[in-house]
Amino acid sequence: MLLVQKYGGSSVGSPERIRAVAKRVANARRRGHDLVVVVSAMGDTTDDLTTLASLVTGRERPQDEHPREMDMLLTAGERIAAALLTMAIREQGFEARSFTGSQAAIITDTNHTAARIREVKAGRVREALDDGCIAIVAGFQGVSTEREITTLGRGGSDTTAVALAAALKADACEIYTDVDGVYTADPRRVPGARVIRTLTHAEMMEMAANGAQVMHGRAVDIGDRFGVDIRVLSSFVDDDAADEGAPRGTLITHRTQAMEELVLTGVAPKGGQAKLVLRGLAPGMRTQTVLLEALAENGVSVDMVNESFGGDGRMQIQLTVPEEAASRAEEVLRAALEPLGGGEIAAQTGLSRIALVGNGMTGRPGVYAKAYRALLDAGVEVQGVSTSSISITVLVPAERETEAVQALHGAFRLEQTGAADGVAER
Ligand code: ASP
Ligand code: MG
């Protein structure tokens, strides 16, 4: 069986941790598995290197001026971790070889600091496996079609791991981190929050897009497209002590959903939202289109969009944008409104969006009603709402975020295993 494992920065944050990971890898090898191991940079290395670049250049965002050199700099972090882990595994008596993203032939586009993977060739990784070696691959990096060193954006090692698992048709892909898996909500804020046993890729992407930090959304997307099951689990629990065969962590999978029960998966909050309300607008598609185009041209990403009509026949539009883009968005909209006959704009910052995620809500009556009842009873006022086929998202004042998450988590009884999981347990 071919296993791809990925270890995050905290999992390899010290010499002791690297030795512990080496032991875990060696154990998997002893069980007879072929292994490709992807590593992140140790601890806060990536942040520290970024700070160093800021100090040297005097720039807050050195990547804007020096994207190529930032990639040269940051890829060193993963390279260090890969070499050290390889030595530690060899000290355990197993053959291992490390590779940079470039050596592993992870081919990306030319977009420095946020490159996208075009193709994973992994020829040398396959060779190492054929030689009976454990292959250690530096995460978060690749080589561009112009043969430049690139990085995949923050958190990109998850993407490296899932892309390798897809390319090598691995039997399993394990993402090791410092938490026990994907939680129904943040356990520090929601009593009763628990590890989700199984959920679908779509649900995980929705959770990640809504602020769940545990996995990189892009990695889950690749897993979805290539049918890679991904298990998220902690590298800090002693497997030897764990119950053999007991389900561990969270499995992200395509497997069939539970048939009937109302299956909701989790609640994910994301702060830093602003709402813009535009009133007294000339009615018609043209108005919205021109406004949305103006925002797009100015690089403002719009989240929720709602429109309504007043008794006076004028139109009202409400939209949400990231808080840091609010004043720019307001300016852009003001300018765009002028030739359209004008209108008023009111901006409100300090909002959070709370997503209730779950495959089971499609076509099921009462989900909205239950969510609103829970929020009303908790005294949380909803300022906006949007839906997808697997989520309901409400906009609430940021200072009520925790109460809102708790209320929804409680109302849908997400603290209970089984019925709440997105996929039938097996
Ligand atoms: N080291 C990189 C980061 O901190 C990539 C990763 O850890 O996935 O973002
Ligand atoms: Mg990470």
Side-chain angles (χ1 to χ4, degrees):
M1 170 156 138
L2 174 62
L3 197 57
V4 173
Q5 296 188 330
K6 179 256 170 178
Y7 292 92
S10 54
S11 295
V12 293
S14 67
E16 295 69 39
R17 290 295 316 155
I18 291 178
R19 282 206 296 269
V21 166
K23 212 175 118 199
R24 187 180 290 276
V25 173
N27 282 340
R29 182 75 185 144
R30 275 190 205 99
R31 286 196 299 273
H33 301 319
D34 289 329
L35 283 148
V36 175
V37 180
V38 175
V39 273
S40 287
M42 295 172 67
D44 297 328
T45 303
T46 308
D47 288 333
D48 295 345
L49 291 172
T50 305
T51 304
L52 213 48
S54 289
L55 291 172
V56 167
T57 58
R59 292 177 186 274
E60 203 179 314
R61 289 177 47 85
Q63 62 269 39
D64 293 343
E65 192 60 28
H66 310 285
R68 180 185 186 277
E69 303 313 322
M70 277 309 280
D71 280 352
M72 287 300 271
L73 179 69
L74 296 187
T75 46
E78 269 68 16
R79 186 167 171 159
I80 292 167
L84 290 172
L85 177 62
T86 304
M87 292 180 208
I89 292 170
R90 289 173 53 90
E91 291 292 337
Q92 298 268 326
F94 293 91
E95 264 318 311
R97 224 176 272 163
S98 67
F99 299 97
T100 63
S102 164
Q103 287 176 316
I106 294 170
I107 315 293
T108 73
D109 62 19
T110 56
N111 190 11
H112 280 294
T113 79
R116 298 224 155 221
I117 297 179
R118 286 273 181 84
E119 188 188 356
V120 176
K121 293 199 173 136
R124 298 191 57 189
V125 173
R126 286 180 227 263
E127 269 170 36
L129 293 172
D130 288 344
D131 291 348
C133 255
I134 299 168
I136 315 298
V137 180
F140 164 65
Q141 54 184 273
V143 60
S144 77
T145 45
E146 303 286 328
R147 282 187 279 154
E148 295 284 10
I149 299 297
T150 50
T151 60
L152 306 179
R154 296 304 305 266
S157 296
D158 291 345
T159 299
T160 305
V162 179
L164 272 167
L168 299 169
K169 300 199 168 41
D171 299 287
C173 181
E174 299 179 337
I175 304 287
Y176 283 93
T177 177
D178 52 9
V179 292
D180 292 331
V182 183
Y183 277 78
T184 51
D186 183 348
R188 287 165 303 190
R189 291 162 64 183
V190 181
R194 63 178 177 81
V195 171
I196 302 164
R197 287 273 171 75
T198 48
L199 77 168
T200 62
H201 293 86
E203 288 172 318
M204 186 65 234
M205 277 189 275
E206 194 78 32
M207 297 279 284
N210 286 293
Q213 299 278 331
V214 57
M215 263 217 75
H216 209 213
R218 268 170 66 189
V220 185
D221 185 23
I222 295 173
D224 188 29
R225 294 185 202 196
F226 291 88
V228 179
D229 282 4
I230 304 166
R231 190 175 287 282
V232 180
L233 65 183
S234 169
S235 72
F236 288 77
V237 289
D238 184 1
D239 276 348
D240 297 341
D243 204 357
E244 192 50 48
R248 294 177 307 145
T250 298
L251 183 67
I252 304 166
T253 176
H254 280 159
R255 277 186 255 162
T256 37
Q257 288 167 243
M259 275 242 212
E260 289 287 5
E261 62 270 52
L262 171 55
V263 277
L264 294 182
T265 303
V267 189
K270 193 167 161 195
Q273 310 292 317
K275 176 168 91 168
L276 296 163
V277 182
L278 292 77
R279 287 197 185 81
L281 311 182
M285 266 294 279
R286 203 180 125 69
T287 306
Q288 288 106 308
T289 309
V290 170
L291 294 176
L292 290 170
E293 280 172 352
L295 290 170
E297 276 157 24
N298 286 277
V300 177
S301 144
V302 180
D303 183 17
M304 303 176 176
V305 185
N306 279 301
E307 62 188 58
S308 55
F309 291 89
D312 55 359
R314 303 298 280 178
M315 184 170 64
Q316 175 175 325
I317 298 180
Q318 176 180 318
L319 39 86
T320 64
V321 297
E323 211 159 43
E324 68 273 8
S327 52
R328 188 153 39 102
E330 199 179 331
E331 245 171 67
V332 168
L333 290 170
R334 230 174 260 295
L337 272 181
E338 237 162 71
L340 293 170
E344 299 154 35
I345 306 181
Q348 186 187 349
T349 53
L351 298 169
S352 279
R353 40 172 297 158
I354 318 274
L356 175 64
V357 177
N359 265 327
M361 64 175 73
T362 318
R364 180 168 289 266
V367 179
Y368 258 129
K370 196 176 207 151
Y372 268 71
R373 170 56 66 187
L375 293 166
L376 174 68
D377 290 350
V380 178
E381 196 179 332
V382 175
Q383 309 253 344
V385 64
S386 75
T387 52
S388 79
S389 61
I390 60 165
S391 68
I392 288 178
T393 305
V394 290
L395 196 65
V396 305
E399 67 273 13
R400 309 305 313 278
E401 186 183 286
T402 299
E403 284 101 323
V405 174
Q406 286 172 347
L408 293 172
H409 198 274
F412 290 94
R413 298 201 301 183
L414 296 184
E415 71 285 354
Q416 289 181 11
T417 339
D421 268 351
V423 179
E425 296 208 349
R426 53 186 78 212

